[in-house]
Amino acid sequence: MAQSKKIALAALKMAMTESREEEAHLKEAYQRQGVKTAAVDYGGEYINSVRKIVERAIVAAKREGAIHETHGDEGAVAGATREALSQIMNKAMGLNIGGKIGIARQDDHLSVAVFFGIGLLHLDEVAVGLGHRVAPKE
């Protein structure tokens, strides 16, 4: 499998974990393969949340060691996160979202995935978005 696909799949799997335990187990498995991962939960109204989601993704990636505190790394996470969010925008505009952001990085490949439930009252939808960027090698 191409490395970009492998890292994208890792980000998607991290975003789709259902518990902290599952997240930690998957993170350890990826770490053994040399893939750095992070995940963070998020919920709120879509339009007001874009900036907060990008910030949370950057903070989570730094906290888990997936990126360094450099302009290039932070920009790669921000760009990939915005790309992922743009893919769910049509479904989420004006509604509440809740779910998880998954991040994966190996070498110069970095992916961010969002897996959100989108809702209005009891009418729920599900959406997935994925962004990939090249990040400077460590």
Side-chain angles (χ1 to χ4, degrees):
M1 180 183 305
Q3 191 174 16
S4 56
K5 279 180 70 176
K6 174 184 166 188
I7 300 310
L9 181 60
L12 281 167
K13 286 183 177 182
M14 289 298 292
M16 293 174 22
T17 57
E18 295 185 41
S19 67
R20 293 276 183 228
E21 294 78 24
E22 181 184 359
E23 182 182 309
H25 177 71
L26 192 58
K27 182 180 175 189
E28 288 174 17
Y30 278 122
Q31 185 68 37
R32 288 190 296 272
Q33 298 174 32
V35 178
K36 296 179 181 178
T37 59
V40 62
D41 295 318
Y42 190 80
E45 199 276 321
Y46 178 80
I47 295 172
N48 297 323
S49 297
V50 172
R51 183 178 59 85
K52 293 175 191 169
I53 292 170
V54 172
E55 288 172 355
R56 281 210 181 167
I58 292 169
V59 168
K62 281 196 263 188
R63 180 187 68 230
E64 299 299 328
I67 66 167
H68 296 294
E69 198 166 327
T70 64
H71 182 74
D73 279 0
E74 291 176 4
V77 173
T81 304
R82 288 188 58 87
E83 172 62 28
L85 290 171
S86 74
Q87 294 172 10
I88 68 166
M89 183 171 49
N90 287 341
K91 288 184 178 185
M93 190 67 73
L95 300 173
N96 289 321
I97 58 173
K100 194 175 278 192
I101 305 155
I103 303 153
R105 189 226 184 120
Q106 186 175 44
D107 298 329
D108 59 352
H109 294 275
L110 184 137
S111 287
V112 176
V114 295
F115 182 60
F116 288 138
I118 301 170
L120 175 67
L121 300 172
H122 64 282
L123 307 170
D124 294 324
E125 181 65 81
V126 177
V128 176
L130 177 67
H132 180 269
R133 292 291 185 271
V134 172
K137 281 191 177 181
E138 301 179 70

